Amino acid sequence: ELAQWAKDEFNLDKLPGQQTISDILKKKEEYMAMTEHHLYAKKIREPTLPELELLLAHQPISMASIIHQVKIQCRRRQLEVPEDFQFSKGWLIKFMGRYGF
């Protein structure tokens, strides 16, 4: 009954198997806690500097000043930033997507 509902609700080609349904139900809390960004991402990658991202995500800053703000926060909090880490345009775009800017 549940498999038929899932097939109809999500327009699936075939009925999901019992193990698939069990796996999804086991991870229910994890799925419910996900942001929309995570739910639709092809691959979920954890941020390299999660502490920094959390600090920045809750501050009203413009896109133009975000890299400058990152460097200030790193110095102020004495965060250990890997030497090979680059505050690139790609990082900025992914950061903004993760936090809905």
Side-chain angles (χ1 to χ4, degrees), residues 32-49:
M32 296 301 288
M34 286 182 170
T35 63
E36 188 171 340
H37 170 75
H38 283 104
L39 287 172
Y40 295 103
K42 289 182 181 179
K43 184 174 184 179
I44 299 173
R45 294 184 185 159
E46 294 301 318
T48 305
L49 303 169

Side-chain angles (χ1 to χ4, degrees), residues 45-84:
R45 294 184 185 159
E46 294 301 318
T48 305
L49 303 169
E51 183 181 354
L52 175 64
E53 289 200 9
L54 287 174
L55 290 168
L56 294 171
H58 300 292
Q59 295 183 25
I61 53 178
S62 69
M63 188 169 147
S65 67
I66 197 166
I67 298 297
H68 180 69
Q69 188 70 23
V70 165
K71 293 175 182 179
I72 290 170
Q73 290 292 343
C74 286
R75 278 189 237 122
R76 184 182 299 155
R77 305 236 180 212
Q78 296 178 341
L79 296 175
E80 292 184 27
V81 179
E83 285 187 33
D84 62 341

Side-chain angles (χ1 to χ4, degrees), residues 12 18 25 31 51 63 100:
L12 303 174
Q18 178 62 43
L25 291 174
Y31 293 136
E51 183 181 354
M63 188 169 147

